[in-house]
Each structure stands twice: as structure tokens, then as C-alpha cells.
Amino acid sequence: SQKIEQNSEALNIQEGKTATLTCNYTNYSPAYLQWYRQDPGRGPVFLLLIRENEKEKRKERLKVTFDTTLKQSLFHITASQPADSATYLCALGIIGALNFGKGTSLLVTP
Amino acid sequence: GAGVSQSPSNKVTEKGKDVELRCDPISGHTALYWYRQSLGQGLEFLIYFQGNSAPDKSGLPSDRFSAERTGGSVSTLTIQRTQQEDSAVYLCASNGGPNTGELFFGEGSRLTVL
């Protein structure tokens, strides 16, 4: 069956460090992969999309990699700030429904 | 409106009652999605509408769940004979169509079944 796996354990890091979150998938051949941020009690907010033919994409302090051989995406937040504390979700799509992982909670402490 | 609007934001109902949840997508968006998020869980896909095509209902958990989208805009998710396990946040999202990228989410409707 298709699975999208994100580390269920919360990631605690110190302000200023780089946070790295992992998304692994099985039995998918996604055309693209997306990352979203979700704050408590709010709907997810889109951050980045990376297509199957792209290795890396950057946006400000965010960087996403996509390895279709390893079936893995890494999401990096450099120079992390307490305001980056949230749950981060990865999502895979082909055409149509977008399927989400369960998310990883990130806590950035001053 | 500027974003995806969902109502009600909170709904408390008794087991066995029917509920309707409404989603008003971003104007012009042809695709509309419903997801369910239980406490501490990820987003569970329910149903996807794309333009005038037949909806993808593959995520609906039982025949108590149904959804419609009138005039290619507003959508209503209906849960009949609610059960306690239906308690969750129901999220609606829209975007410009297949393979166009990001989904724009509403803030969700929190359903509590007593």
C-alpha cells in the first residue's frame, strides 16, 4: 500500500540552528512533492513544491530536496527562529488528490 | 472572498444526527478537496472535485459520508447518522486545477459528536 512517512517524534532545536525534516514514501511515483506548515487550530499553509525532475528548490531560509531513487524528501530551515515552531507536513501528488503525511512537530527554542 | 471559507467553524451534535459542513472556495478555482484531521493525526483525504468531472470519492470512509459541489463553486459535506468516531476537524481546500500546485486551505470545521 502507499505510505508517506514523517518522523512522528517532535524535533527540538536551538534558535539559529538548521532544522532538517524527513519525508519518506513507498509505492508512489509522484509527479511532485509539497511541504506545508500547520499551526495549532489553523489550516495548512503551502510552503514549497518540488517536481520529480528537480533535485533541489530554495525559498528564503527554506530548502527542499527530492530524491526519487531513495524515495525521500528533506526539508531544511536554516537560521531557525522560534516563529518557525509548527507542524510541517509533506504531501505527494500525481494528478488529482494530494496525499499527506502525518507531519513532524518542530520546536525552536531561544 | 480572499480565501477559502468554511462554516460552521465549530459544530457539536448528538450521535445519530445528520450534519452539513460548507466550503466556499477561492473564486475561479476549479478544484476542491475535503480532508479530515483527527486529533494529533495527519490529513485524511475524503473527496476531490475537479471542474465538471465526476468527483474522486475514493477517500470517503463510509456511505454515511457524501459531498456535492453546486455550480462548480460551493461544496457541502454531509455526514448522516453521525458517530463519535466522526469527531474531527474537516478541512476544505481549493486550487486552480490538476497539477497546478499549492492547495489553499480553509480554517476547518471542528465537529464534535457527543
Side-chain angles (χ1 to χ4, degrees):
Chain A
S1 62
Q2 295 177 323
K3 286 186 180 179
I4 303 170
E5 294 179 339
Q6 295 185 255
N7 195 339
S8 59
E9 289 186 15
L11 178 63
N12 294 342
I13 65 167
Q14 196 172 18
E15 182 177 10
K17 302 291 186 184
T18 295
T20 298
L21 307 176
T22 304
C23 177
N24 295 297
Y25 60 92
T26 55
N27 296 323
Y28 270 101
S29 294
Y32 55 89
L33 186 147
Q34 302 184 21
W35 283 89
Y36 288 77
R37 168 183 174 141
Q38 187 174 25
D39 291 283
R42 308 297 298 275
V45 174
F46 171 81
L47 296 174
L48 279 169
L49 179 152
I50 185 165
R51 300 193 183 277
E52 60 178 335
N53 59 348
E54 298 175 313
K55 296 290 186 185
E56 181 180 299
K57 184 163 277 190
R58 293 174 185 261
K59 179 183 177 183
E60 297 172 352
R61 295 184 296 111
L62 309 180
K63 184 179 85 170
V64 171
T65 63
F66 193 11
D67 189 327
T68 55
T69 300
L70 289 179
K71 297 187 183 298
Q72 181 181 78
S73 174
L74 299 179
F75 176 79
H76 306 272
I77 305 174
T78 59
S80 59
Q81 304 166 0
D84 295 327
S85 299
T87 296
Y88 292 85
L89 307 168
C90 75
L92 274 67
I94 305 174
I95 292 180
L98 194 63
N99 294 306
F100 285 80
K102 292 187 177 181
T104 298
S105 176
L106 172 66
L107 179 62
V108 181
T109 53
Chain B
V4 177
S5 178
Q6 292 189 244
S7 62
S9 54
N10 277 286
K11 175 72 175 179
V12 180
T13 190
E14 292 179 349
K15 178 181 172 181
K17 301 284 190 183
D18 297 351
V19 296
E20 287 188 349
L21 307 176
R22 175 189 168 104
C23 174
D24 202 341
I26 292 173
S27 178
H29 277 189
T30 58
L32 186 147
Y33 302 75
W34 283 99
Y35 289 88
R36 177 169 72 175
Q37 189 171 35
S38 302
L39 188 63
Q41 298 298 309
L43 275 68
E44 175 188 3
F45 166 73
L46 296 177
I47 189 168
Y48 161 61
F49 295 89
Q50 173 53 52
N52 295 320
S53 302
D56 176 355
K57 303 180 182 180
S58 60
L60 294 178
S62 77
D63 59 6
R64 296 186 296 105
F65 288 73
S66 63
E68 63 177 22
R69 188 179 185 191
T70 54
S73 181
V74 171
S75 177
T76 302
L77 177 69
T78 301
I79 309 172
Q80 296 179 311
R81 305 180 303 281
T82 52
Q83 304 294 314
Q84 288 184 330
E85 60 263 29
D86 300 334
S87 297
V89 176
Y90 290 82
L91 289 158
C92 175
S94 69
N95 77 358
N99 213 25
T100 57
E102 66 178 291
L103 298 189
F104 295 83
F105 280 87
E107 300 290 26
S109 292
R110 179 177 297 278
L111 174 66
T112 303
V113 182
L114 301 177

